[in-house]
Amino acid sequence: MRFTKSIPNMFTLGNLFCGFLSIGFAANGQYKNAAILILIGMMLDSMDGRVARMLKADSELGKELDSLADIVTFGVAPSFLVYYTYFFQFGLLGLIVAGLFPLFGAYRLARFNISTNKSNLNYFIGVPITAAGGILALLTLFGDRIPNIFTTVVFTGLSFLMVSRIRIPSLKEVPLPKYGTIVTLFLGSLLYLIYRGTYGQFPYLIYIATPLYIAYLTYRFVKGKNKKNIE
């Protein structure tokens, strides 16, 4: 029973470790690898909460751990990635600007944690840090085809949108079978482009994480279908 309750936390810690590895890869000039690790972190982050509910293993520890992991993987790691790929040429000013992203992201997470409207499925208040970090990872991944000024504008916009009061539509109410299909196709296309662009030289973690994530989506699809048949 104790092991079952710790499974969701393993996904969260995996997310955190992906963030740490991403920073290391970025520091060593392996920017595509660093971006991919952030995307793997997104896969794990999307699973830990649902796995906790499936196993009835929700805990305050897991919720706090999830926020800490999100700050590293989707706040600190993407800001380092953008700094090493573009902002570094501005010296200290570039480092300071890059540091705004995790600061705003941490504020947004703290505000969410004390919010009384967490259960609202229709919208988020401000852009979630997970989405913002993932967008920056994708922009860096295809950075050779995207103007630097565009990345700078998106980086700045996302920083302020995270702490804004703008209501962002949520996909939580999108039926999982349809959503799972979209995500699976997206991942398949993305992996193909990554493989062609890096000649297969990316973290072997992705060979493990992606099949697991697709298997998870398939399980949710089958489970949702069975529920409809029973009803």
Side-chain angles (χ1 to χ4, degrees), residues 75-92:
V76 178
S79 63
F80 267 109
L81 193 52
V82 172
Y83 170 74
Y84 282 124
T85 54
Y86 180 51
F87 286 0
F88 71 93
Q89 60 187 310
F90 302 111
L92 180 61

Side-chain angles (χ1 to χ4, degrees), residues 6-7 19 43 52 67 78 83 85 87 100 104 111 113 121 123 128 142 147 150-151 155 168 185 193 220 223:
S6 66
I7 290 176
M43 296 181 200
S67 293
Y83 170 74
T85 54
F87 286 0
L100 293 177
F104 288 3
R111 189 180 68 188
N113 287 343
L121 298 176
Y123 60 85
F142 300 103
F150 180 78
T151 301
F155 177 91
I168 307 297
L185 290 173
L193 290 171
R220 295 286 295 178
K223 187 178 179 182

Side-chain angles (χ1 to χ4, degrees), residues 50 121-124 168-176 179 183:
R50 285 194 173 97
L121 298 176
N122 298 318
Y123 60 85
F124 295 107
I168 307 297
S170 170
L171 293 176
K172 290 182 179 180
E173 289 189 333
V174 176
L176 190 66
Y179 182 55
V183 173

Side-chain angles (χ1 to χ4, degrees), residues 1 14 26 55 81 101 106 124-126 137 147 160 165 169 179 192 210 221:
M1 183 64 71
L55 299 176
L81 193 52
F101 189 81
F124 295 107
I125 301 296
F160 287 100
R165 290 287 178 178
Y179 182 55
Y192 173 75
T210 303
F221 174 83

Side-chain angles (χ1 to χ4, degrees), residues 4 7-9 11-12 42-58 62-63 66 121 124 170-180 183 213 216-217 219-221 223 227:
T4 301
I7 290 176
N9 290 342
F11 283 96
T12 306
M42 288 186 72
M43 296 181 200
L44 296 173
D45 181 67
S46 70
M47 294 171 70
D48 57 7
R50 285 194 173 97
V51 169
R53 289 189 288 273
M54 285 165 54
L55 299 176
K56 296 181 180 179
D58 289 309
K63 293 175 183 176
D66 184 65
L121 298 176
F124 295 107
S170 170
L171 293 176
K172 290 182 179 180
E173 289 189 333
V174 176
L176 190 66
K178 187 201 303 182
Y179 182 55
V183 173
Y213 189 60
Y216 163 76
L217 290 173
Y219 168 76
R220 295 286 295 178
F221 174 83
K223 187 178 179 182
K227 273 188 179 179

Side-chain angles (χ1 to χ4, degrees), residues 125-162:
I125 301 296
V127 174
I129 189 173
T130 308
I135 290 171
L136 288 183
L138 285 173
L139 288 178
T140 306
L141 195 61
F142 300 103
D144 53 340
R145 304 175 187 177
I146 299 173
N148 287 329
I149 186 62
F150 180 78
T151 301
T152 303
V153 171
V154 172
F155 177 91
T156 307
L158 288 173
S159 295
F160 287 100
L161 283 173
M162 282 193 291

